[in-house]
Amino acid sequence: MAAEEQILSPDQRKPTSRKALYTALGVAIVINLAYLFGNHHGWVEDVFILVTIAVLLGVIVSDAWLRRTGLR
């Protein structure tokens, strides 16, 4: 069985869909923004939500920048 399988390097595999990635991350950002308008009194939850949103935006920006510069 193993002798019949093709050997593929990582660059020969089908790349992930950039549009699907950006859409999923955008939906996650919108959902996290909705959490800011909840039934809570402190700011601790807001800080964690804003950090999560910043990380998700960082993923989008870094991926777009790496693709534009040709590093990915």
Side-chain angles (χ1 to χ4, degrees):
M1 285 282 174
E4 297 173 4
E5 293 183 24
Q6 290 181 342
I7 299 174
L8 296 176
S9 64
D11 61 337
Q12 290 176 332
R13 295 184 183 140
K14 184 177 179 183
T16 58
S17 173
R18 190 175 1 157
K19 184 186 272 188
L21 173 71
Y22 292 166
T23 302
L25 290 174
V27 168
I29 289 171
V30 169
I31 289 171
N32 279 310
L33 282 173
Y35 287 146
L36 290 176
F37 304 105
N39 188 11
H40 60 280
H41 300 285
W43 288 97
V44 176
E45 298 91 353
D46 293 345
V47 171
F48 284 108
I49 291 171
L50 292 173
V51 167
T52 304
I53 291 170
V55 168
L56 294 175
L57 279 174
V59 169
I60 292 174
V61 170
S62 65
D63 184 62
W65 180 71
L66 286 173
R67 286 186 185 270
R68 180 174 292 243
T69 58
L71 297 174
R72 184 163 185 192

